[in-house]
């Protein structure tokens, strides 16, 4: 069974930066402002030849908070900790030990899993002088590094490698098929991802813009392995948008380009808008195959004439998607999920036919 390494800590200590540095790529979005990461982000890490593990990036922990969004982030971190075989606890060398670090440390000390304390942002040897104060958190394994400058990153990789015995390593089948879920904010993308994956994989909230960082997970659709990507809601560009929102939308467009199949998700309870057309055009420009889905079918009457009218409206409004299959689903109730899984696989296979 492949081992899982979880990266945890309070907000803005550099967890996502460490995640990206270990993978030598940009899998997770980063920002100077806290709260960029909310859902769990998974990626395969190969720390040494013949060894492989699942690396998990998490949102910032805020124990004891009464904020609803922070509580949901905490639940995502709890899920990662439960799944993890080893934990990387990240703190900030420049800020020193803060009360929130102590609260998280108290929680992690109660687990029987190996915990490596990572003192991040130790950009030069001078920052290592204060490393001694972090021993007060109660961990024997303490390591100072700079994720952004990759200073002492090799020591972290060696530690991860030491937690993955070669004799227990099992070859798993690689997932090459990528399915992304795209659409405007609040059309039910995260609910659909949770329905397909079979778990509370990403945070669902009525507040638009809940998803920021593209969340990845493995999923099986009709017996076929896929990498499932939940994208941030894609909105029409307006003034006054936060930098995090702009970064999220740019990342969503990039993820569409890297997808084999993209589900264009629309809300059946609302009229189609120019932004729906814009997202559809981005999918076409990317070259990804597309399945158009009208979500929230549990909220409409199931009459043949009405269902036909929905498809006719879609075809008329987006004539350039004449080739795309159109389906009505309900991510909340699970209606149409089996048909969607079969259609995604069929569209993928057809995309390779001459």
């Amino acid at each position: 069974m492949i081992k899982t390494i979880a990266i945890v800590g309070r907000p803005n200590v550099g967890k996502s930066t460490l995640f990206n540095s270990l993978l030598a790529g940009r899998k997770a979005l980063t920002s100077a402002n806290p709260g960029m990461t909310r859902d769990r982000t998974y990626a395969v890490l190969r720390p040494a030849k013949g060894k492989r593990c699942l690396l998990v990036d998490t949102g910032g922990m805020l124990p004891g908070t009464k904020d609803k969004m922070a509580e949901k982030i905490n639940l995502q971190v709890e899920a990662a900790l439960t799944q993890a075989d080893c934990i990387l606890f990240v703190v900030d060398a420049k800020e020193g030990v803060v009360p929130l670090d102590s609260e998280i440390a108290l929680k992690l000390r109660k687990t029987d899993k190996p915990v490596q304390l990572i003192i991040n942002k130790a950009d030069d040897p001078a920052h290592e002088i204060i490393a001694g104060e972090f021993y007060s958190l109660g961990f024997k394994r303490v390591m100072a590094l700079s994720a952004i400058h990759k200073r002492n990153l090799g020591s972290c990789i060696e530690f991860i490698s030491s937690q993955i015995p070669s004799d227990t390593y099992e070859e798993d089948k690689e997932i090459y098929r990528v399915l992304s879920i795209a659409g405007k904010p609040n059309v039910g993308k995260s609910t659909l991802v949770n329905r397909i994956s079979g778990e509370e994989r990403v945070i669902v909230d009525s507040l638009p813009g809940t998803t920021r960082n593209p969340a990845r997970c493995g999923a099986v659709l009709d017996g076929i392995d896929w990498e499932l990507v939940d994208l941030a809601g894609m909105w029409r560009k307006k003034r006054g948008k936060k930098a995090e929102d702009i970064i999220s939308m740019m990342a969503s467009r990039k993820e569409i380009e890297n997808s084999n199949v993209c589900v264009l998700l629309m809300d059946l309870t609302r009229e189609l808008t120019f932004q729906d057309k814009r997202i559809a055009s981005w999918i076409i420009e990317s070259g990804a195959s597309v399945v158009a889905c009208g979500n929230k079918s549990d909220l409409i009457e199931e009459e043949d004439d009405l269902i036909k009218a929905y498809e006719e409206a879609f075809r008329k409004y987006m004539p350039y998607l004449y080739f795309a299959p159109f389906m009505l689903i309900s991510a909340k109730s699970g209606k149409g999920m089996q048909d969607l899984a079969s259609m995604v696989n069929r569209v993928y296979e057809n995309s390779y036919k001459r």
Side-chain angles (χ1 to χ4, degrees), residues 13-87:
V13 292
K15 298 182 297 299
S16 295
T17 303
L18 177 61
F19 181 80
N20 289 336
S21 294
L22 289 171
L23 295 168
R26 192 178 177 86
K27 288 284 185 179
L29 303 183
T30 58
S31 171
N33 297 323
M36 188 67 186
T37 302
R38 290 175 172 175
D39 303 302
R40 288 169 280 158
T41 300
Y42 290 76
V44 175
L45 172 67
R46 292 176 174 80
K49 186 176 180 180
K51 293 187 176 184
R52 180 167 58 171
C53 67
L54 204 58
L55 192 64
V56 190
D57 183 27
T58 64
M61 294 180 70
L62 289 170
T65 183
K66 294 184 179 180
D67 179 78
K68 289 185 177 180
M69 180 55 67
E71 286 179 347
K72 292 183 177 183
I73 293 173
N74 287 342
L75 288 175
Q76 289 287 312
V77 179
E78 289 284 355
L81 290 173
T82 301
Q83 183 184 14
D85 297 290
C86 177
I87 301 165

